Amino acid sequence: MGILVKPIITEKATNESELRNAFTFVVDRNANKIQIKEAVESAYGVTVEGVRTLNVIPKIKSRYTKTGMVTGKTSAYKKAIIKVAEGETIDLYSNL
């Protein structure tokens, strides 16, 4: 598995890409900013100006059912927000 896992295509991420030229990706949890920058530049052929990363913590949910209390949690992942140079863009919809 590579450093870039998948792009995040949500309303907030799409708005960031249109207004600020920043694209959001789910990345490998052990990758650092330098590795993420090199992976984006080689995969999409753009110039990266900045990389911001954050670890998304799992959310725990519980509910009551007939059989008792059921608990579960979402998975944790690392998210990277990539700032691309002015005039360049990443086409996330080309692979669909």
Side-chain angles (χ1 to χ4, degrees):
M1 182 162 93
I3 293 175
L4 298 176
V5 178
K6 65 180 179 178
I8 297 176
I9 303 173
T10 59
E11 188 174 350
K12 186 175 182 179
T14 306
N15 193 25
E16 286 286 317
S17 66
E18 291 173 355
L19 297 178
R20 295 184 179 85
N21 214 17
F23 299 89
T24 309
F25 291 91
V26 175
V27 295
D28 182 28
R29 294 192 64 179
N30 297 321
N32 60 25
K33 292 182 180 185
I34 297 167
Q35 293 170 337
I36 295 168
K37 178 181 177 181
E38 292 171 355
V40 170
E41 286 179 344
S42 65
Y44 294 103
V46 294
T47 305
V48 175
E49 289 184 347
V51 177
R52 295 181 292 167
T53 60
L54 58 132
N55 288 314
V56 179
I57 60 172
K59 295 183 177 142
I60 299 171
K61 294 184 177 182
S62 60
R63 64 178 178 207
Y64 294 101
T65 62
K66 282 192 229 180
T67 59
M69 190 162 167
V70 177
T71 59
K73 69 175 187 173
T74 60
S75 60
Y77 60 94
K78 189 172 193 176
K79 184 171 20 175
I81 302 168
I82 313 295
K83 176 84 168 128
V84 179
E86 193 67 36
E88 295 183 355
T89 185
I90 296 174
D91 187 16
L92 298 175
Y93 302 104
S94 63
N95 308 22
L96 299 178

